[in-house]
Amino acid sequence: MSATTTSTPGSTRRLTAKGEATRARIVDAASSLVFAHGVTRTGVEDIQREAGVSASQLYHYFGDKQTLMRAVIAHQTEAVLAAQRPELDSLDTFEALLRWRDRLVTLQRSRHCVGGCPIGSIAAEVADEDPQARADLVAGFEQWEAPLRSGLATMRDRGLLRPDTDTDRLALALLAALQGGLLLTQTRRTTVPLEAALDSMIELIRAYAA
Amino acid sequence: MSATTTSTPGSTRRLTAKGEATRARIVDAASSLVFAHGVTRTGVEDIQREAGVSASQLYHYFGDKQTLMRAVIAHQTEAVLAAQRPELDSLDTFEALLRWRDRLVTLQRSRHCVGGCPIGSIAAEVADEDPQARADLVAGFEQWEAPLRSGLATMRDRGLLRPDTDTDRLALALLAALQGGLLLTQTRRTTVPLEAALDSMIELIRAYAA
């Protein structure tokens, strides 16, 4: 395989296939530890041990923990979106919204409601501490909100929702309900809050049915 | 003033008035630091310095950081509820819901959208790490949800909402929308997500108007 470049943080230099694999192993390990314990509790040494790399290898790829955490945010954003596919990419019918809702609830149930949202929990921890991480999290949430917006806009354009429906506002409220539902689900160890939050927002969207 | 007892964590022994004041100073200092930096980043030495107490004084009142954090959760729960009064205690008309919504938005604006929810952010950080803290956070959220439930139930009982309205589910969804709105508001540094989340849920509640 030829050397590749990516635009994700900490990998602006060209990497060999082996280098890409090592870099990915570090990001995977760091993401797992951050999901389980949070950013602050995850030490660089823990990540080295989990990834099976030396301090100099980790430094070679990421320079500092902050740069690695940016890569973790990018990785977890991708993972969060991937876990909602294929539904997330075509939320353009009421049936699709319900399938997406079921996927989210099932995922939390399979995790025994532990961990909350992989990027929401990072946001709660670092948004006020690290302006660059906050900017990355804003971009991550935007990647999540965009398919919600476009799905609802498609429903409106197809005549499933009334022409005057403010689909952008509903999409943002849906993401907020999802985030709050995940946090309460993590705290209470039951999917009831997530279900109540998503079902209520979907019910509101239904109230705009044409 | 005579000695008092309280049932909050770390103060099961009788304290003199001076002891109560010292204890309260420690909890205030710890709460401010946790709100600004999170639980993990707040060291016991930071709390001692902020409160102006010695290590032995802090140990005398709280024994360990975990016990002190339980007192912080209790303190922040009280503060969160107090900041929503008087509206929170009588959310039994649509006008009251809107006044409460405005109070929440104004509060975030006055904080420049920094900090998020004082107990939601602790929940995101420690729910998976500390079972006792998680139980305290469940109780804290319940204290918040209860007045939402009772306000909406009163609206139903007075005939403002249809008799078949599931007010318990709406109250839970409202708390979830609020939590998610606060997290996105903290991340994006604008109250737009909080407003979208609360306005959408209030709009859904209006759809149940009798």
Side-chain angles (χ1 to χ4, degrees):
Chain A
M1 193 190 288
S2 63
T4 56
T5 56
T6 78
S7 64
T8 47
S11 69
T12 49
R13 62 177 75 83
R14 276 178 177 275
L15 296 176
T16 62
K18 193 178 163 202
E20 282 284 0
T22 304
R23 183 186 179 284
R25 201 164 75 242
I26 295 168
V27 175
D28 278 347
S31 297
S32 298
L33 290 169
V34 166
F35 184 61
H37 305 297
V39 171
T40 313
R41 280 198 203 86
T42 299
V44 171
E45 298 76 16
D46 304 322
I47 299 166
Q48 286 169 34
R49 198 177 312 118
E50 181 86 5
V53 298
S54 65
S56 66
Q57 274 178 298
L58 197 139
Y59 180 81
H60 171 74
Y61 290 102
F62 295 102
D64 58 19
K65 183 178 170 183
Q66 198 182 18
T67 305
L68 175 52
M69 288 304 120
R70 295 193 62 197
V72 166
I73 292 169
H75 178 269
Q76 293 295 70
T77 300
E78 277 308 308
V80 161
L81 300 178
Q84 297 171 66
R85 291 192 178 112
E87 288 81 3
L88 183 67
D89 295 328
S90 53
L91 292 175
D92 47 12
T93 62
F94 288 111
E95 294 71 26
L97 277 173
L98 289 178
R99 281 197 304 275
W100 172 70
R101 173 260 189 229
D102 287 346
R103 177 179 286 273
L104 290 164
V105 171
T106 302
L107 179 64
Q108 287 309 306
R109 212 169 272 146
S110 74
R111 287 180 181 162
H112 306 286
C113 303
V114 172
C117 173
I119 63 171
S121 57
I122 297 178
E125 195 181 348
V126 308
D128 295 336
E129 300 278 337
D130 181 341
Q132 184 59 62
R134 186 175 78 74
D136 290 356
L137 290 158
V138 168
F141 281 129
E142 168 56 25
Q143 281 183 253
W144 199 343
E145 192 183 332
L148 306 182
R149 269 202 312 266
S150 84
L152 295 179
T154 302
M155 288 176 75
R156 184 192 53 206
D157 296 345
R158 283 185 185 160
L160 292 173
L161 299 175
R162 295 203 311 260
D164 63 339
T165 308
D166 185 348
T167 52
D168 286 358
R169 199 196 55 149
L170 289 174
L172 177 55
L174 185 54
L175 181 62
L178 171 50
Q179 284 297 316
L182 286 170
L183 177 65
L184 293 178
T185 282
Q186 177 183 18
T187 307
R188 292 188 179 166
R189 292 281 192 272
T190 160
T191 58
V192 171
L194 178 62
E195 295 179 60
L198 291 176
D199 290 346
S200 294
M201 273 309 303
I202 292 172
E203 189 183 341
L204 177 62
I205 295 166
R206 270 191 198 283
Y208 283 93
Chain B
M1 193 190 288
S2 61
T4 56
T5 56
T6 78
S7 64
T8 47
S11 69
T12 48
R13 62 176 76 82
R14 275 178 177 275
L15 297 177
T16 61
K18 192 179 165 200
E20 282 285 2
T22 304
R23 183 186 180 284
R25 202 165 73 241
I26 295 168
V27 176
D28 278 347
S31 298
S32 297
L33 290 169
V34 166
F35 184 61
H37 306 296
V39 171
T40 313
R41 280 199 202 85
T42 299
V44 170
E45 299 75 16
D46 304 323
I47 299 166
Q48 285 169 35
R49 199 176 313 119
E50 181 84 7
V53 298
S54 66
S56 66
Q57 273 179 299
L58 197 141
Y59 181 82
H60 170 75
Y61 289 103
F62 294 102
D64 59 18
K65 183 178 171 184
Q66 199 182 19
T67 305
L68 175 52
M69 289 303 121
R70 295 193 63 195
V72 166
I73 292 169
H75 178 268
Q76 293 296 69
T77 300
E78 277 308 309
V80 161
L81 301 178
Q84 297 171 67
R85 291 193 180 110
E87 287 82 3
L88 183 67
D89 294 329
S90 53
L91 292 175
D92 48 12
T93 62
F94 288 111
E95 294 70 28
L97 277 172
L98 289 178
R99 280 197 304 274
W100 172 70
R101 173 262 190 227
D102 287 346
R103 177 178 286 273
L104 290 165
V105 172
T106 302
L107 180 62
Q108 288 308 306
R109 210 168 276 148
S110 74
R111 287 178 179 163
H112 306 286
C113 302
V114 172
C117 174
I119 64 173
S121 56
I122 297 177
E125 194 181 349
V126 307
D128 295 335
E129 300 278 337
D130 181 341
Q132 184 59 64
R134 187 175 78 74
D136 290 356
L137 290 158
V138 168
F141 282 129
E142 168 56 24
Q143 283 186 64
W144 198 342
E145 193 183 332
L148 306 183
R149 271 201 313 266
S150 84
L152 295 179
T154 302
M155 286 177 75
R156 185 192 53 206
D157 296 346
R158 282 185 185 161
L160 293 174
L161 299 175
R162 295 201 312 259
D164 62 340
T165 308
D166 185 348
T167 51
D168 285 359
R169 199 196 57 148
L170 290 174
L172 177 54
L174 185 54
L175 182 61
L178 171 49
Q179 284 298 315
L182 286 171
L183 178 64
L184 293 178
T185 282
Q186 177 183 18
T187 307
R188 293 189 176 164
R189 292 280 192 275
T190 158
T191 58
V192 170
L194 178 62
E195 295 178 59
L198 291 176
D199 290 346
S200 295
M201 275 307 305
I202 292 172
E203 190 184 340
L204 178 62
I205 295 166
R206 271 190 198 282
Y208 283 93

